[in-house]
Amino acid sequence: MGALLSLATGAAGLALPLVARGLIDDLSHDRTITGALVLMSALVVANAALGALGSYVLRRTAESVVLGARRALSSYLLRLRIPAVDRTEPGDLMARVTSDTTLLREVTTDSLVGLGTGGLTLVATIVMMGLVDPVLLGVTLAVIVAAGTVLGVIVPRINKASRRAQDAVGVMGASLERVLGALRTIKASGAEHREEQRLHAAAEESWRQSVRAAKWAAAAGNTAGLAMQIAFITVLAVGGARVATGAVEVGTLVAFLLYVFYLMSPIQQVVGAITQYQTGAAALTRIQEALALPAEPSSAHPAPLPAADAEPAALAFDEVRFRYDDDLPYVHHGVTFAVPPRGMTAFVGPSGAGKTTVFSLIERFYDPESGVITVDGRDASDWDLTELRSAIGYVEQDAPVLSGSLRDNLLLGSPEADEDAVTRVVKTTRLDGLVDRLPRGLDTLVGHRGTKLSGGERQRVAIARALLRHPRLLLLDEATSQLDAVNEAALRDTVADVARTTTVLVVAHRLSTVTMADRIVVMDAGRVRAVGTHRELVAGDPLYAELAATQFLATTG
């Protein structure tokens, strides 16, 4: 619709020189000019009204394109596979969603539609000029072709500079995200000045490339303007000579000069569309690069959470080999173990043994290079991803808390949970005292990344969030590392109670957690070296006995 309105605007403008020629002829022959004046006035009003409406429709369409791109890209980024996120700077991805998508409006309205309507108007104007006087048209086209040759050299430079400017914006976004994500560490290290220089360097590079693009865009625009001025002077000179010889009438020359004036608008529109397209195309390339990153399959609807009385899950690893990237060493060298449904299994071993990676593979954040992982006897890769994850409750090592209210964080994985369930899990995880102290209870905002909560409180929030899902398989990665002795004992009892009806896997470094486990998997250098109870392993595995005597504190067995 916007393109059609723009074309209608152009048609109204194209009719004006013809009406003007008729008006001059009427004056020359002493005829009334009332009709011509009324028609010209109507054309001017129609031109303005259609132009305003067309501009609004096009800009509304452009904003809709930006909205659609942001929705599509943000949805896609949420489904990115974890390895793709590991290799990409989050700040750069944020820049692609925000600043790059904004530039799409230039591709939509000012560029693609502008190129189409401006091009059609340009062609129509040239046809009308040919009907008025072919000789003067030839003079005009010669000037336009010369200007087009110059523009052909300039336009690629605009694209190159625009792409570099957008890349620099992405680098700056990545640097800023890096700084804000560790601002306390940077301040404590006295590194503000160095990080400031890094941010400023990225900003200056974006400025430098944007100025370069602006320079070439200005050159392109002025080339078009200069060409039209030369065309006007040339037409005036050649046309004046033709009028003097009687080859054409004055009205024809006036009409042709009006068309030359009118030609300026579509030519500048086309040149502007081409230059702006270079900026938008650079942004579009970056968006397409993000959409080409590997992503998990999407699901139309989230899978329902397990019922409170759902059967616990069984789990097994069979000769699983895994590494985080092709140029990195293997983390798992043929890991094999089996976990029956119900009960607690603890994973212990030195740092770097591959314990946390076990949980990442269960959640299918990564896929093993070889070997098989089964859940309920079924290959994990055969499960629908949302169905698999809906059966799992996962408490990460750093227990992340999102900005928002405490209630939002608790309901993150189970938005349909009722108030009674929330109250029960808050009491179970000993968060009730915290809720009572907070000014707005569960609706109190916890700050960016939960900065208003202590480390232990964040861990309890993460555990409560997992328990609300009624998981068939509960993964706890160092879930009590930041708790005091009293809260740790309470949560240990809670986990023991959950283990009676759920399969619980725990990565543990504390003896108190390990001794209560039904089975212990000892890992070392990416392999399972022993499986058994605490007493069996103290007596039968030297590494575990050493860990029990040192890292787990002293024990008499």
Side-chain angles (χ1 to χ4, degrees), residues 81-83 86 296 315 317 320 322-324 331-332 337 347 354-368 373 375 380 385 388-389 392-397 473 475-477 505 507 523:
R81 291 189 58 78
I82 296 298
D86 292 342
E296 296 171 346
L315 174 74
F317 273 49
V320 170
F322 172 75
R323 54 183 170 177
Y324 283 100
V331 179
H332 285 173
F337 64 85
F347 290 82
K355 304 182 295 296
T356 297
T357 303
V358 168
F359 288 3
S360 295
L361 292 173
I362 294 171
E363 283 274 13
R364 286 195 62 198
F365 296 149
Y366 306 91
D367 291 324
I373 302 171
V375 179
L385 203 53
L388 174 68
R389 290 177 181 165
I392 301 173
Y394 182 30
V395 180
E396 300 174 61
Q397 192 167 8
L473 178 62
L475 311 178
L476 303 175
D477 191 355
L505 273 59
V507 171
M523 298 189 68

Side-chain angles (χ1 to χ4, degrees), residues 374-392:
T374 58
V375 179
D376 288 341
R378 179 178 162 199
D379 194 324
S381 61
D382 294 336
W383 281 73
D384 176 79
L385 203 53
T386 55
E387 182 185 358
L388 174 68
R389 290 177 181 165
S390 69
I392 301 173

Side-chain angles (χ1 to χ4, degrees), residues 26 58 131 136 197 205 294 299 349 379 418 439 453 476 478 499:
D26 289 341
L58 286 176
L131 294 176
L136 295 179
Q197 289 178 327
E205 177 62 18
S299 180
D379 194 324
D418 57 31
L453 304 177
L476 303 175
E478 279 298 305

Side-chain angles (χ1 to χ4, degrees), residues 126-143:
I126 290 174
V127 170
M128 297 299 293
M129 293 170 77
L131 294 176
V132 172
D133 192 304
V135 175
L136 295 179
L137 173 62
V139 173
T140 306
L141 288 179
V143 177

Side-chain angles (χ1 to χ4, degrees), residues 357-439:
T357 303
V358 168
F359 288 3
S360 295
L361 292 173
I362 294 171
E363 283 274 13
R364 286 195 62 198
F365 296 149
Y366 306 91
D367 291 324
E369 190 169 294
S370 63
V372 178
I373 302 171
T374 58
V375 179
D376 288 341
R378 179 178 162 199
D379 194 324
S381 61
D382 294 336
W383 281 73
D384 176 79
L385 203 53
T386 55
E387 182 185 358
L388 174 68
R389 290 177 181 165
S390 69
I392 301 173
Y394 182 30
V395 180
E396 300 174 61
Q397 192 167 8
D398 56 353
V401 173
L402 306 181
S403 60
S405 70
L406 183 58
R407 186 188 304 276
D408 292 337
N409 275 278
L410 293 175
L411 297 179
L412 182 66
S414 45
E416 304 301 324
D418 57 31
E419 194 66 26
D420 290 340
V422 173
T423 302
R424 186 166 56 253
V425 80
V426 164
K427 186 174 182 180
T428 298
T429 53
R430 291 205 167 190
L431 283 169
D432 46 349
L434 170 67
V435 173
D436 291 340
R437 292 195 306 273
L438 293 175

Side-chain angles (χ1 to χ4, degrees), residues 13 22 69 126 167 181 234 265 279 284 318 323 339 373 380 393 454 515 545:
I126 290 174
D167 286 343
T234 306
S265 177
T279 303
L284 187 58
D318 183 17
R323 54 183 170 177
V339 177
I373 302 171
S454 69
T515 53

Side-chain angles (χ1 to χ4, degrees), residues 167-434:
D167 286 343
V169 171
V171 170
M172 184 178 178
S175 299
L176 192 59
E177 191 272 339
R178 171 178 173 272
V179 168
L180 295 179
L183 191 56
R184 295 185 184 189
T185 301
I186 289 170
K187 287 181 177 294
S189 303
E192 295 99 328
H193 182 65
R194 292 192 299 277
E195 296 301 326
E196 181 182 46
Q197 289 178 327
R198 187 193 297 264
L199 287 169
H200 288 184
E204 287 167 7
E205 177 62 18
S206 177
W207 171 84
R208 189 160 37 248
Q209 297 300 335
S210 295
V211 167
R212 184 172 296 172
K215 176 183 69 177
W216 290 114
N222 281 286
T223 298
L226 178 62
M228 294 317 302
Q229 291 176 11
I230 293 173
F232 178 79
I233 294 171
T234 306
V235 167
L236 186 61
V238 175
R242 288 171 61 76
V243 169
T245 60
V248 294
E249 296 183 357
V250 174
T252 300
L253 177 59
V254 171
F256 197 92
L257 287 172
L258 287 174
Y259 275 124
V260 172
F261 271 119
Y262 192 75
L263 198 62
M264 291 183 184
S265 177
I267 284 182
Q268 289 180 334
Q269 191 175 11
V270 169
V271 172
I274 293 173
T275 56
Q276 287 171 333
Y277 179 79
Q278 305 310 309
T279 303
L284 187 58
T285 300
R286 284 170 48 81
I287 292 171
Q288 289 170 335
E289 287 174 353
L291 292 174
L293 293 172
E296 296 171 346
S298 61
S299 180
H301 302 286
L305 296 176
D309 57 352
E311 285 295 314
L315 174 74
F317 273 49
D318 183 17
E319 290 297 323
V320 170
R321 289 171 58 83
F322 172 75
R323 54 183 170 177
Y324 283 100
D325 211 337
D326 293 340
D327 58 349
L328 295 176
Y330 281 94
V331 179
H332 285 173
H333 302 270
V335 171
T336 299
F337 64 85
V339 177
R342 200 172 282 105
M344 182 191 297
T345 300
F347 290 82
V348 302
S351 178
K355 304 182 295 296
T356 297
T357 303
V358 168
F359 288 3
S360 295
L361 292 173
I362 294 171
E363 283 274 13
R364 286 195 62 198
F365 296 149
Y366 306 91
D367 291 324
E369 190 169 294
S370 63
V372 178
I373 302 171
T374 58
V375 179
D376 288 341
R378 179 178 162 199
D379 194 324
S381 61
D382 294 336
W383 281 73
D384 176 79
L385 203 53
T386 55
E387 182 185 358
L388 174 68
R389 290 177 181 165
S390 69
I392 301 173
Y394 182 30
V395 180
E396 300 174 61
Q397 192 167 8
D398 56 353
V401 173
L402 306 181
S403 60
S405 70
L406 183 58
R407 186 188 304 276
D408 292 337
N409 275 278
L410 293 175
L411 297 179
L412 182 66
S414 45
E416 304 301 324
D418 57 31
E419 194 66 26
D420 290 340
V422 173
T423 302
R424 186 166 56 253
V425 80
V426 164
K427 186 174 182 180
T428 298
T429 53
R430 291 205 167 190
L431 283 169
D432 46 349
L434 170 67

